[in-house]
Amino acid sequence: MAQIRKLENYLKGLKDGTGIGIAYIPFGVAIGLISAKSFSQILPMIGLTSFGMYAGGAHSLLLKILYVMKSPPVEVILSIALINLRYLLLNIVIFRQLGEKTPIFQKFLVGVGLTDETVTYLTLKKATNAWYMMGVNTIPYFCYCFGTIFGAIFGEKLPESLMTSMNFVLYSIFFSMLIMALSQNFKYIRIVLLALIIKMAFSFLPILNKVSSGWVMILTMFLASFIYAQLYYNENPEKQENDEIDKRKGSDKIEL
């Protein structure tokens, strides 16, 4: 019975993650095309990098620092680590939803497949089941990885107008998740405004506008979350405690 419940949760996660996966295809195609055309990477290397790394922003940065900047290995490792540092924060959010009783191996499988979009989606859904989360992560992973291979082989044959129009798909996914969150509770607009103000500070204020884009992303998320928590965390503590209890009780149920 337990195995059937796990399979049901996983299959529902596959279904719910399809939309995010479709949005990853054009980005994967673009990375594959750049890898093959601009940097002459061979197909096995493109596939190995995509399936092994699975990090769009870090993947594009890797290509730049390897083939354009010709950086030494230490700089490559540090740069990739910094741009992915935000996942330390994002994984904490998801692991708190999973709860302490979730086996460490299941947490590992969930963690390696997380992206900005899947973390946002799982947080909004208040998902608490590891198998459901793995299902949500699966389709985006394969869409991105096979997208890079497709781009490397057929990217040059795709119309430029199609590639340009598909670039908006990922942004539309982000926007729809933002609208979903605000429709559930409009008070989240406060953290959106906080993040915008901090991002504008990094864009226009002297000294701050010299910070690299990777650090800007990390600091914006950290500062917005920290300020919001300090200002509003205790505004309804009883409701937060009840929500945590409900999450733990529903950890074995199929996500709705």
Side-chain angles (χ1 to χ4, degrees):
M1 185 66 182
Q3 297 300 322
I4 294 177
R5 187 180 298 116
K6 290 178 182 178
L7 180 60
E8 289 175 341
N9 277 291
Y10 182 76
L11 292 176
K12 185 160 196 325
L14 285 179
K15 179 182 177 182
D16 291 350
T18 301
I20 298 175
I22 292 173
Y24 281 7
I25 294 175
F27 190 64
V29 170
I31 290 292
L33 177 59
I34 293 171
S35 300
K37 184 177 180 181
S38 300
F39 305 120
S40 301
Q41 275 194 318
I42 59 175
L43 189 59
M45 181 60 68
I46 294 173
L48 181 63
T49 305
S50 299
F51 281 93
M53 179 178 283
Y54 184 48
H59 195 161
S60 59
L61 176 64
L62 177 66
L63 294 174
K64 182 178 180 180
I65 59 181
L66 277 180
Y67 296 100
V68 178
M69 301 169 62
K70 301 186 183 303
S71 300
V74 173
E75 290 185 12
V76 173
I77 294 172
L78 286 177
S79 299
I80 300 303
L82 286 176
I83 199 172
N84 286 324
L85 188 61
R86 66 189 187 277
Y87 286 109
L88 289 176
L89 300 175
L90 297 178
N91 283 16
I92 290 174
V93 174
I94 296 301
F95 289 172
R96 283 193 63 190
Q97 290 184 195
L98 283 172
E100 297 180 357
K101 294 183 178 180
T102 304
I104 188 65
F105 184 66
Q106 292 184 19
K107 288 184 176 181
F108 172 79
L109 292 177
V110 170
V112 295
L114 291 175
T115 64
D116 298 332
E117 293 77 19
T118 56
V119 167
T120 304
Y121 180 80
L122 293 171
T123 303
L124 291 175
K125 291 282 287 186
K126 295 181 173 61
T128 57
N129 184 277
W131 290 95
Y132 174 79
M133 292 182 179
M134 284 184 263
V136 170
N137 290 339
T138 299
I139 297 296
Y141 172 76
F142 284 106
C143 283
Y144 172 77
C145 296
F146 282 113
T148 59
I149 295 174
F150 182 88
I153 300 174
F154 303 107
E156 288 185 310
K157 297 179 174 60
L158 295 175
E160 185 176 349
S161 58
L162 176 62
M163 290 295 297
T164 303
S165 62
M166 289 179 72
N167 286 334
F168 290 98
V169 176
L170 193 58
Y171 296 106
S172 67
I173 290 288
F174 260 127
F175 186 71
S176 66
M177 290 180 180
L178 175 61
I179 297 301
M180 184 191 306
L182 294 178
S183 64
Q184 291 177 0
N185 196 330
F186 193 71
K187 74 176 184 180
Y188 293 144
I189 191 66
R190 297 181 295 200
I191 196 169
V192 174
L193 295 175
L194 272 173
L196 287 174
I197 292 170
I198 294 170
K199 180 64 171 69
M200 291 177 66
F202 279 109
S203 298
F204 299 108
L205 293 183
I207 300 178
L208 291 181
N209 59 12
K210 304 297 183 182
V211 179
S212 65
S213 58
W215 275 107
V216 168
M217 182 183 299
I218 293 168
L219 291 172
T220 299
M221 289 189 298
F222 176 79
L223 291 173
S225 302
F226 179 78
I227 295 172
Y228 183 85
Q230 293 298 312
L231 292 175
Y232 303 114
Y233 180 76
N234 292 321
E235 64 181 12
N236 196 349
E238 291 184 2
K239 184 179 184 301
Q240 291 173 0
E241 184 177 349
N242 291 334
D243 287 344
E244 291 294 330
I245 294 173
D246 290 341
K247 289 176 185 177
R248 287 193 288 268
K249 287 181 178 179
S251 60
D252 290 330
K253 296 178 182 178
I254 299 175
E255 303 298 328
L256 300 176

